[in-house]
């Protein structure tokens, strides 16, 4: 792996573990096994390197979510597959966690890939809810964008509950709760 | 306000804004207008002071949530009041945000008030859902603990969406989405 690659990958790991504020250039260089000069050779500084790292993490998240959301099955089944997809629950979301970072939220440039990814996710799920309404899976009164926001929020907030209790059980409970509310009418009474 | 009070209040503000990792003893002393010796006179150090600050923030959150959850109205209305209660959405949750802090999650002592508060909240809401089931407001198939986890996760994840987009709209959308799913049967078709 090239030095530039090692710097990006180390930054991604540290941003996930410790956030932007908690990640020093020194820690990145140590983890990457790189000298001080190499960061400034390849990147303008910590914000520039972090932007490359955040963009890559966002792309990966989008690809992984897209895979289950574009998969086979009914609208309900695809949303279920998204909610139940395997996750490293106790590590939290590498994209969503950045919203708790004051320096990321304060920077339009660093915040952009975070916002765009969560926005893309909500729009994708909203489209699936609308499909489900057309097929009669969901009540016509439901609003696709609102349900999508609730789905994404349940996942992001599920990480909060899981990390607070250091157990994935709370994440799973929230997902099951939302699915029981979203389940097509026939299943509800089952 | 006494020096000890000023230290606690400054720490609460900084933990909310910048998290534990992003809050230095120096920043606390500066905001509190206190000298270096005063922190060690009143507290054993940053973790001890942070614990006092987190405990107070957790107590306040519990009191504010309890007020609406114990209020008048049906089970649905009390959950709705909790979800819609006025919040400083773009600042996020001063308790939940600590779960993204590696040093808080790694410390059983600092994590305890966070875990206990979110746990208390989930149990309180689960009880209200069970009441609503008994009164025929909610389907008997719903699980109180699961619905409660979804409710709390929607709020915590709503902050993530709002901060990502720097607008409370996404928080509100998620809350409306969850409420439309939770609404008693009669309302659903309305």
């Amino acid at each position: 792996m090239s030095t530039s690659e090692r710097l990006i990958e180390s930054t991604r790991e540290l941003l996930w573990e410790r956030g932007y504020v908690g990640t020093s250039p020194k820690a990145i260089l140590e983890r990457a096994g790189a000298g001080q000069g190499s960061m400034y050779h390849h990147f303008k500084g910590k914000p520039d390197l972090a932007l490359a790292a955040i963009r890559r993490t966002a792309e990966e998240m989008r690809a992984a979510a897209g895979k289950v959301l574009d998969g086979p099955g009914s609208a309900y089944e695809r949303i279920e597959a998204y909610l139940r997809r395997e996750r490293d629950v106790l590590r939290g979301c590498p994209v969503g966690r950045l919203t708790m970072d004051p320096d990321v939220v304060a920077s339009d440039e660093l915040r952009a890939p975070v916002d765009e990814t969560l926005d893309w996710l909500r729009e994708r799920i909203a489209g699936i809810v609308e499909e489900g309404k057309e097929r009669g899976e969901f009540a016509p009164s439901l609003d696709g964008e609102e349900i999508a926001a609730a789905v994404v929020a349940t996942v992001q907030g599920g990480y909060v509950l899981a990390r607070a209790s250091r157990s994935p059980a709370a994440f799973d409970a929230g997902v099951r709760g939302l699915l029981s509310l979203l389940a097509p009418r026939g299943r509800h009474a089952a």
Side-chain angles (χ1 to χ4, degrees), chain A:
Chain A
M1 220 192 280
S2 68
T3 307
S4 145
E5 271 300 300
R6 287 207 315 277
L7 286 167
I8 292 177
E9 289 301 318
S10 302
T11 304
R12 291 178 64 197
E13 287 170 18
L14 284 163
L15 288 178
W16 197 355
E17 289 165 25
R18 303 193 55 79
Y20 184 84
V21 167
T23 296
S24 65
K26 195 176 156 230
I28 295 170
L29 293 172
E30 272 177 22
R31 187 165 299 201
Q36 202 168 350
S38 68
M39 184 166 115
Y40 294 94
H41 176 70
H42 294 286
F43 301 95
K44 274 177 268 168
K46 178 180 153 183
D48 189 41
L49 174 51
L51 184 60
I54 294 171
R55 281 193 180 139
R56 188 175 295 179
T57 297
E59 271 163 37
E60 277 189 11
M61 180 180 150
R62 204 185 277 224
K67 216 168 158 178
V68 288
L69 291 171
D70 295 338
S74 67
Y76 175 82
E77 283 163 350
R78 278 180 287 156
I79 292 172
E80 183 181 26
Y82 168 70
L83 284 165
R84 290 195 196 272
R85 88 181 169 83
E86 215 179 308
R87 284 178 174 88
D88 209 343
V89 168
L90 291 182
R91 290 185 78 190
C93 174
V95 175
R97 75 100 67 228
L98 294 167
T99 63
M100 294 304 141
D101 232 304
D103 294 359
V104 172
V105 172
S107 155
D108 284 337
E109 211 177 7
L110 293 177
R111 191 174 54 84
V114 175
D115 187 25
E116 284 160 17
T117 303
L118 291 171
D119 220 49
W120 169 87
L121 187 57
R122 284 164 55 200
E123 279 178 31
R124 189 74 198 78
I125 294 172
I128 295 175
V129 173
E130 294 300 333
E131 273 179 54
K133 280 165 64 178
E134 280 165 33
R135 292 191 201 163
E137 277 183 70
F138 300 132
S141 60
L142 296 184
D143 178 285
E145 287 184 16
E146 290 178 3
I147 300 300
V151 168
V152 178
T154 298
V155 168
Q156 294 294 330
Y159 290 124
V160 170
L161 300 184
R163 284 175 64 91
S165 56
R166 263 197 191 151
S167 152
F171 181 99
D172 296 338
V175 161
R176 281 198 306 274
L178 186 69
L179 284 171
S180 70
L181 294 172
L182 196 61
R185 290 318 172 87
R187 298 197 188 200
H188 220 317

